[in-house]
Amino acid sequence: MHVLVLGGTTEARRLAERLHATRGIRVTSSLAGRVATPRMPPGEVRVGGFGGAEGLARWLCEHEVGAVIDATHPFAGTISFNAALAAADAHVPLLALRRPGWAPAEGDDWHPVDSLERAAEAARALGSRVFLTTGRMGLASFAHIDDIWFLVRSVDAPDGPRPPRTDVLLDRGPFTLDGERELLRRHRIDVLVTKDSGGAATAPKLTAAREAGVPVVIVRRPPVPDGVPVATGPEEAAAWLAAYSG
């Protein structure tokens, strides 16, 4: 069976490793190409878009794909909805692999919002030194703010619009709790802005913010397309595939 994994996440890479070692499965991982030096999964890899839902449906048919697992970032909404349309058009089963979201703990001061634009409004009302960890692609939503200082952390350097008072920290997780504590202290951070990405690699910043009494503006996830089953980990996704193919 040929399985297409829409990847770019740790879970996608672990799933590709598992499937690559499984007899009778050929796995192709698709990466968006937004990170300059991605961590490459085993098996076949393609980089770049498909040309929308229609192009993806055509690719599925041309490459005789037997199943699609959407293991993209929880906020990669466009590809997820294109995958749902394409899989339905090509009559290929589709599973969404999504790591569980974060949950607030006692002592957290969370301010949930539904968009980056609302996150910008909330951050402006809460403080003046913001640790912004929403990724380099969304900085345009904050570019109009000139009365707040931002520390932006991303894997690659941002190249689009961004706030005028911005320092950029290039780094890749996983991050440690001690490191996040020191970062908040050294930069005198009084607001943390993040997306509900889930997972352990970047969660220490939430603990550090709780300890320091720093409010957190957290952007809620977009929904998974209607009717698409969801697995919460690579093992569950592999079990779904085995049940389908067996």
Side-chain angles (χ1 to χ4, degrees), residues 45-145:
V45 178
R46 68 174 304 281
V47 178
F50 292 92
E54 184 178 344
L56 177 53
R58 184 166 55 250
W59 196 94
L60 296 178
C61 294
E62 290 175 352
H63 293 81
E64 299 181 344
V65 173
V68 179
I69 299 179
D70 172 17
T72 55
H73 192 276
F75 284 83
T78 299
I79 184 59
S80 294
F81 280 89
N82 283 346
L85 293 172
D89 189 41
H91 305 288
V92 173
L94 169 67
L95 175 75
L97 171 55
R98 294 288 185 272
R99 70 185 75 145
W102 291 316
E106 184 177 356
D108 279 327
D109 181 14
W110 282 16
H111 300 259
V113 295
D114 290 322
S115 67
L116 289 174
E117 290 73 22
R118 291 300 180 96
E121 295 174 9
R124 201 172 192 177
L126 288 168
S128 61
R129 297 184 65 83
V130 177
F131 183 25
L132 186 57
T133 64
T134 55
R136 65 188 178 94
M137 305 299 292
L139 291 184
S141 298
F142 301 83
H144 64 287
I145 301 177

Side-chain angles (χ1 to χ4, degrees), residues 130-207:
V130 177
F131 183 25
L132 186 57
T133 64
T134 55
R136 65 188 178 94
M137 305 299 292
L139 291 184
S141 298
F142 301 83
H144 64 287
I145 301 177
D146 59 7
D147 56 349
I148 289 179
W149 177 84
F150 291 89
L151 175 65
V152 172
R153 183 166 66 190
S154 62
V155 176
D156 294 318
D159 54 8
R162 58 182 175 180
R165 299 177 60 199
T166 298
D167 283 359
V168 176
L169 174 63
L170 300 183
D171 205 354
R172 188 200 300 260
F175 302 105
T176 67
L177 179 55
D178 284 344
E180 300 293 63
R181 287 169 173 156
E182 172 59 19
L183 186 149
L184 297 185
R185 185 200 63 78
R186 184 171 70 251
H187 294 282
R188 296 180 285 116
I189 298 299
D190 57 12
V191 183
L192 167 64
V193 179
T194 187
K195 295 177 178 178
D196 182 16
S197 301
T202 61
K205 63 188 174 187
L206 300 173
T207 303

